[in-house]
Amino acid sequence: MSRRVCVIGGGSSGLTSIKSCLDEGLEPTCFESSDDIGGLWRFKENPEADRASIYHSVIINTSKEMMCFSDFPIPAHFPNYMHNSLIMDYFRMYAEHFQLTKHIRFQIRVLQVKPRPDFSRSGQWDVETENKKGEKEKHIFDAVMICIGHHCHPNLPLHDFPGIDKFKGQYFHSRDYKTAEEWRGKRVVVIGIGNSGGDIAVELSRVTKQVFLSTRRGAWILNRVGQQGVPMDFQLNRLKNPLTKNKINQRFNHSLYSLQPKHSQHPTVNDELPNRILSGTVQVKPNIRRLQGSSIEFDDGTVEDNIDLVVFATGYNFSFPFLPSNMLPVSGNKANLYKYMFPPGLERPTLVVIGLVQPLGAIMPISEMQARWATRVFKGLNKLPSMDCMLKDIKHKEETIAKRYVTSQRHTIQVDYIDYMDQIAYQVGARPSLLRLLLRDPGVWLCVLLGPCTPYQYRLRGPGQWDGARQAILTTWDRMAGALKTRPSDIPEPKQRSLPLTLTVGAAALALGYYWNIHNHPSLLIALDPTTWQDKIKPYLPVLW
């Protein structure tokens, strides 16, 4: 009999978890509390309880080639940065193509998940659910995948803002913001400079009399448009990280704009905020000291009067209310999870959390990679380390974050996209082998090493290998450019910069020499004829910027 897996949540993490179960021959049943797929990305005019809710204009801040599932590229004609409605279109295509929807039970809420009495032997779970009529049902599952994300409960820290209870204007959390028009001609304060805070401040500033953007620490602001007009995240690869302070300040001086933070923190992606600050429609202010009537005093002593609205773009808290309270406690938006996935104290590794990370990049490929690993753990094909090893890994992760980032709920689940993807892919056996690619397919090797770290790289080998991965990697730039070339033009395109061939060959020689030295493999020195290799690699050089 196939193992039955309970998937909680039908958003992007839930969809790819269903598919991963099917790929491994497992039997998934997904419980989705709403009436549709999509989770965070499904726009609804009226927010639902204990769910994130987006505003109408939301556009994703990672490009389509970096956010897609690894064996299902987004159509070439879709824009590089997609509106939330197009993301929903893509999710529906994905669900239809892999026939996922038939495994989802909609408008079913999970009330309780607890280990069965014989859990130490069976690893099974008792799951209780409730439908929209209030009818309850009990189930037995062999494994559980929690895919509810981390945008669960709005964080509204009213106790930190003296006088808010007597504020004469209106205030609400950013999840309740939908459009700017009703605030035309008003004076607004937005608290928080994350992605939502920046977006809402910019959008409101087009119609309001004045927007004040209140931030305790400032933020680094990234632009979706990178060098030479390509998506910014195309510049992140295995050898180069252009997101240094000096590079970010080349666009505009963050200190001059009252934005530069003292400490490292997760950057904010916003194309228009510097222009809005420059034009004065957005003024950057420090933290709020107190509210009095319709006036707001800031920490620097300045006071702004006649404020009509305060928007709390102060993030979300997450929790697992259906689990026993001692199984996975959450404190300060932190949960003890090995690789942000597995509770280390379980006798059987049949419970996993998918998508509980905050990357500089898209969550979809990470959730997919996590699900690929988890389903193989469920089947016994991959083993987890001992509890002591997992706890040491968790502690090391926390210490690393503490050294790198300012203490904040925003940074408790922070990961570096490429490093984390490689870690999980290694567990699966799907991490790309650069040496193998260099010897067998130098064109793809060059794209993997120096091109954007697309999800397709993790389908080149190992379990879940996809025959279309190689072609998807080689045509990444074509799909990026295809969405931009919407008007015929006789004007020749500027010549793209390519890596000097001697530099590329030199890098390859160094890699081979290193491998030969540590493995004493002289045969490698004759495995690759330089002339033949140069001929193979030349066609791929012009596509790298």
Side-chain angles (χ1 to χ4, degrees), residues 53 63 87-88 169 189 202-203 222 268 293 297 330-331 337 353 375 385 403 423 472 475 505 509 527 542 544:
S53 182
S63 67
I87 295 173
M88 283 297 299
V189 172
V202 165
E203 186 165 286
L222 303 182
T268 295
E297 180 183 351
V330 178
S331 176
L337 291 166
V353 181
T375 50
K403 290 178 182 178
Q423 287 182 41
T475 54
V505 174
L544 295 170

Side-chain angles (χ1 to χ4, degrees), residues 238-419:
R238 296 179 178 276
L239 288 188
K240 182 179 68 170
N241 178 7
L243 302 181
T244 63
K245 294 178 182 179
N246 288 338
K247 286 291 182 67
I248 297 175
N249 268 329
Q250 283 181 2
R251 181 185 172 213
F252 71 92
N253 186 323
H254 282 61
S255 178
L256 179 64
Y257 280 60
S258 302
L259 287 172
Q260 184 156 329
K262 293 180 180 179
H263 309 282
S264 294
Q265 60 188 64
H266 188 88
T268 295
V269 178
N270 196 295
D271 301 290
E272 296 185 63
L273 183 58
N275 298 332
R276 290 284 150 181
I277 296 171
L278 194 64
S279 65
T281 55
V282 172
Q283 288 186 26
V284 180
K285 305 291 284 187
N287 197 38
I288 291 175
R289 179 178 294 169
R290 65 174 64 90
L291 298 88
Q292 188 170 3
S294 61
S295 300
I296 293 181
E297 180 183 351
F298 297 92
D299 278 350
D300 62 355
T302 58
V303 176
E304 295 296 340
D305 299 317
N306 303 316
I307 300 299
D308 301 289
L309 171 68
V310 176
V311 180
F312 285 84
T314 43
Y316 291 82
N317 298 315
F318 62 84
S319 66
F320 309 102
F322 42 76
L323 291 178
S325 58
N326 62 343
M327 179 167 290
L328 191 53
V330 178
S331 176
N333 251 25
K334 288 195 295 187
N336 262 16
L337 291 166
Y338 176 60
K339 302 298 184 187
Y340 299 94
M341 294 174 62
F342 292 98
L346 291 181
E347 295 172 280
R348 298 280 181 173
T350 56
L351 176 73
V352 69
V353 181
I354 303 294
L356 191 65
V357 292
Q358 176 73 52
L360 178 56
I363 189 68
M364 295 79 169
I366 289 181
S367 293
E368 179 188 46
M369 185 59 69
Q370 289 178 329
R372 289 171 65 185
W373 182 29
T375 50
R376 292 181 62 78
V377 170
F378 294 162
K379 290 181 66 176
L381 299 175
N382 290 131
K383 303 291 185 183
L384 296 184
S386 68
M387 186 171 71
D388 284 346
C389 288
M390 288 192 279
L391 290 173
K392 286 179 181 177
D393 185 87
I394 292 170
K395 184 178 180 182
H396 174 72
K397 167 200 70 181
E398 291 177 346
E399 290 173 347
T400 301
I401 288 177
K403 290 178 182 178
R404 182 173 175 185
Y405 295 105
V406 65
T407 301
S408 168
Q409 287 193 176
R410 193 181 187 194
H411 299 135
T412 56
I413 51 176
Q414 189 77 28
V415 298
D416 291 325
Y417 178 83
I418 297 176
D419 179 64

Side-chain angles (χ1 to χ4, degrees), residues 49-95:
D50 296 330
R51 298 177 67 91
S53 182
I54 58 174
Y55 33 99
H56 185 269
S57 61
V58 167
I59 293 175
I60 198 166
N61 54 30
T62 50
S63 67
K64 65 178 181 180
E65 292 299 311
M66 301 298 290
M67 63 153 281
C68 67
F69 296 115
S70 60
D71 55 357
F72 196 71
I74 294 173
H77 68 277
F78 275 38
N80 284 283
Y81 290 99
M82 300 191 297
H83 184 262
N84 59 83
S85 60
L86 289 176
I87 295 173
M88 283 297 299
D89 288 346
Y90 173 66
F91 287 163
R92 297 193 197 285
M93 293 176 195
Y94 181 74

